[in-house]
Amino acid sequence: MEIEKYLREETLYLLDHVCRTISKDKIHLPGPSFTDRIMGSSDRSNRVLGSLQQLFDHGRLGGTGYLSLLPVDQGVEHSAGASFAPNPEYFDPENIVKLAIEGGCNAVASTLGVLGAVSRKYAHKIPFLVKLNHNELLSYPNTFDQIYFAQVEQAWNMGAVAVGATIYFGSPESDRQIQETSKAFKRAHELGMATVLWCYLRNDAFTKDKDYSVSADLTGQANHLGVTIEADIIKQKQPSTNGGYLALKDFGKTSDLVYSKLTTDHPIDLTRYQVANCYMGRAGLINSGGASGKDDFAAATRTAVINKRAGGMGLISGRKAFQRPMKEGVKLLHLIQDIYLDSSITIA
């Protein structure tokens, strides 16, 4: 079994785990009827529901309720040179869209410029998700702030079915980012588009003895704030630790029950807590694929298995796919999708 080859010694640890924290029957699980069953009772308009269904119906995961997205906004977020030097063909926006199509993705997520450059040729062939704001790294010295490069109406005019944005929760600029993105998401819903929020934590204070910006308790709260401004789908880094509130003295509020009853140190249980903070799965949780490295296939397999078994909705993986030859990138995307297509990998 290819999955076991990549999971190695963690095969039983991940595939046989039973979640005894938040029971799976409390979670609104992804599935073919998710739009009707869950989103249909919300205040989303018929046009928003139609846009969400377009996302769910496209690609190799079409009809499953799971999502495999290709995000390529790193030309701004990490600089074009750092992102595309390993594979210069991706300086051309058309190759980004081709990778998403060949890779069987539900949608391609990128900048206004990238998607606008090829929208007349491809917007009707694969759902477009326009990322509205970015952290640019050309200011000197580097700053870390999400600023708007695009407007909702521009995404709508090119035929996009969804818009995305990032909020750096915990940063000095987060109040402004929350207000800006709340207005943008409201306008997107008025125009009938779905909304996806990158819910990232950003503050040097979150790094103590370990990096608590990927702790389950803090990322869970970021998710909870994200669904509060009506993000339909939450993008979050998969948690690798817990106890952020405990490590940061006199910060925020938590409960001992979060650590004694609602989580354990198992990665599936930590990710289940992220799902719970997405209104028990009423907003889908997609985990990010992370940076490219030497064990990308193994890392992507592990992330997808954890996300699916926790009750998540899928993966959004960019650099692991486009920083390698297109044929290999397609193979990696298909590997991720095969995990969500595998009926033997069930909710823990």
Side-chain angles (χ1 to χ4, degrees):
M1 186 176 179
E2 190 173 26
I3 292 173
E4 293 178 357
K5 178 182 74 174
Y6 289 122
L7 292 180
R8 303 187 187 103
E9 67 276 4
E10 285 194 308
T11 297
L12 296 180
Y13 177 67
L14 295 177
L15 295 182
D16 289 353
H17 177 70
V18 177
C19 184
R20 304 189 188 283
T21 54
I22 299 170
S23 174
K24 65 182 180 181
D25 61 5
K26 304 294 185 185
I27 302 296
H28 300 287
L29 298 175
S33 64
F34 186 84
T35 303
D36 292 335
R37 176 168 44 91
I38 304 302
M39 301 304 294
S41 62
S42 72
D43 63 357
R44 305 321 192 255
S45 70
N46 288 343
R47 291 192 179 277
V48 173
L49 297 180
S51 293
L52 284 166
Q53 197 61 45
Q54 279 186 260
L55 291 174
F56 288 127
D57 284 347
H58 194 81
R60 294 182 74 234
L61 296 183
T64 66
Y66 290 106
L67 297 174
S68 169
L69 307 180
L70 176 72
V72 189
D73 60 345
Q74 290 89 347
V76 178
E77 295 278 343
H78 301 283
S79 92
S83 300
F84 302 136
N87 226 351
E89 65 180 353
Y90 289 109
F91 278 106
D92 185 340
E94 186 168 12
N95 288 323
I96 292 171
V97 180
K98 283 181 176 179
L99 175 60
I101 293 173
E102 292 295 318
C105 294
N106 298 74
V108 57
S110 196
T111 68
L112 175 71
V114 164
L115 296 178
V118 295
S119 63
R120 289 187 182 274
K121 186 173 182 179
Y122 289 105
H124 59 294
K125 296 177 181 177
I126 183 171
F128 277 14
L129 192 170
V130 177
K131 183 72 167 23
L132 300 174
N133 65 354
H134 306 284
N135 174 46
E136 58 86 14
L137 288 178
L138 194 57
S139 298
Y140 185 83
N142 287 163
T143 57
F144 298 95
D145 186 13
Q146 289 287 330
I147 59 175
Y148 272 73
F149 278 60
Q151 305 305 310
V152 174
E153 287 79 6
Q154 292 172 294
W156 183 78
N157 283 332
M158 78 164 67
V161 302
V163 297
T166 299
I167 294 175
Y168 282 156
F169 290 105
S171 71
E173 301 82 16
S174 62
D175 283 357
R176 191 203 79 243
Q177 293 169 11
I178 291 169
Q179 294 173 64
E180 289 175 344
T181 301
S182 175
K183 291 177 182 177
F185 281 10
K186 173 179 179 291
R187 183 58 177 149
H189 280 159
E190 289 173 348
L191 292 174
M193 291 184 287
T195 57
V196 182
L197 187 64
W198 279 239
C199 284
Y200 287 167
L201 295 170
R202 173 77 73 171
N203 196 308
D204 290 342
F206 293 151
T207 302
K208 296 291 187 181
D209 57 311
K210 58 184 71 173
D211 182 6
Y212 289 103
S213 69
V214 287
S215 69
D217 54 353
L218 295 184
T219 55
Q221 180 60 19
N223 292 356
H224 198 78
L225 296 179
V227 290
T228 300
I229 62 172
E230 294 203 333
D232 300 315
I233 297 165
I234 296 293
K235 178 192 177 188
Q236 183 59 268
K237 296 176 182 179
Q238 206 163 76
S240 58
T241 189
N242 205 3
Y245 277 116
L246 305 180
L248 299 164
K249 303 299 183 183
D250 302 318
F251 173 71
K253 293 184 178 181
T254 188
S255 167
D256 290 340
L257 294 173
V258 171
Y259 313 100
S260 64
K261 186 176 180 180
L262 301 184
T263 61
T264 70
D265 60 359
H266 197 286
I268 292 174
D269 294 345
L270 294 176
T271 306
R272 175 68 56 86
Y273 188 71
Q274 287 187 340
V275 173
N277 275 279
C278 294
Y279 292 172
M280 286 294 192
R282 288 184 182 272
L285 172 71
I286 55 175
N287 286 131
S288 52
S292 180
K294 64 178 182 178
D295 293 322
D296 283 347
F297 284 79
T301 300
R302 184 180 191 273
T303 304
V305 167
I306 292 169
N307 174 271
K308 184 181 183 183
R309 300 213 67 221
M313 189 170 276
L315 245 59
I316 180 165
S317 186
R319 282 171 287 174
K320 281 181 168 58
F322 72 76
Q323 288 186 335
R324 57 184 0 102
M326 186 172 290
K327 186 176 181 180
E328 288 186 23
V330 168
K331 181 180 178 182
L332 184 137
L333 292 170
H334 285 182
L335 173 66
I336 291 169
Q337 294 153 12
D338 287 345
I339 290 166
Y340 291 95
L341 292 169
D342 189 339
S343 60
S344 70
I345 302 174
T346 58
I347 307 301

